[in-house]
Amino acid sequence: MNLAEKPSVESPVEPAPSTLPRIPELVLRADLVPVAKRGLFALIATIGWLLWLYLLLPLGALLAWWFGYQRLELFVLSNPGKTIETLQIYSIVILAGGLLFIFWAVYNWMRFRGKDRRGSPAPVDAERIGGSFHIPGEWVLRAQHSSRLVFHFNDHAD
């Protein structure tokens, strides 16, 4: 081989397309998914939840028996007026919680609308990276461009 010639560097061989794993596309915004597809996903999720509840129904019956299901007849069915009063109290508590949640959501929407405080961090230079690992910045630059790295640690994990 002539010294003036540079040896050819071959690129790594890429596997055939049939051997690559199929990675599904991710959609991070639900509004980009077609309405029919979203409806289908909602239907599948609802069926799954109903199936899950159906499978847990015997466990619920067992727990009700364990804690005395007969008492339900004694306290709820024998005095319907008290049951309606209790349901009204529950409804008021649920309504108050919902209104509080809506108030909090509107408050946060008014407070933060149009503001995006999330930003990308500033780029870090080699000197700062080297400082956190107690090595010179030029070593970091060399390591960034190397294809193989060997690390040696002392007794203090440095």
Side-chain angles (χ1 to χ4, degrees):
M1 179 168 122
N2 189 353
L3 292 177
E5 292 180 327
K6 291 185 179 178
S8 65
V9 178
E10 295 181 13
S11 64
V13 177
E14 294 183 17
S18 62
T19 61
L20 291 175
R22 185 182 171 278
I23 300 173
E25 293 182 23
L26 295 179
V27 178
L28 300 178
R29 288 183 43 197
D31 59 339
L32 296 178
V33 178
V35 177
K37 202 173 201 180
R38 277 188 291 183
L40 178 66
F41 288 158
L43 179 67
I44 291 171
T46 303
I47 291 171
W49 277 108
L50 290 175
L51 181 64
W52 181 247
L53 290 174
Y54 178 75
L55 291 174
L56 289 179
L57 198 58
L59 180 62
L62 180 66
L63 288 174
W65 172 77
W66 180 265
F67 289 110
Y69 180 76
Q70 296 82 8
R71 294 185 183 173
L72 180 71
E73 287 181 15
L74 180 66
F75 293 110
V76 175
L77 301 178
S78 66
N79 190 358
K82 186 69 173 167
T83 303
I84 291 173
E85 182 183 326
T86 303
L87 289 175
Q88 286 175 343
I89 291 171
Y90 286 175
S91 300
I92 290 170
V93 169
I94 290 169
L95 183 66
L99 288 175
L100 184 65
F101 178 71
I102 290 171
F103 170 75
W104 183 253
V106 169
Y107 166 75
N108 279 319
W109 177 73
M110 291 175 66
R111 183 175 169 204
F112 294 112
R113 98 180 132 193
K115 297 177 185 173
D116 190 11
R117 298 186 302 179
R118 299 171 294 193
S120 58
V124 182
D125 61 344
E127 292 299 323
R128 286 190 57 194
I129 294 173
S132 63
F133 289 101
H134 308 295
I135 59 174
E138 60 221 25
W139 289 11
V140 173
L141 290 173
R142 229 180 330 161
Q144 287 176 340
H145 298 293
S146 297
S147 60
R148 185 172 68 104
L149 298 174
V150 177
F151 292 95
H152 298 280
F153 296 97
N154 63 12
D155 293 336
H156 304 290
D158 290 331

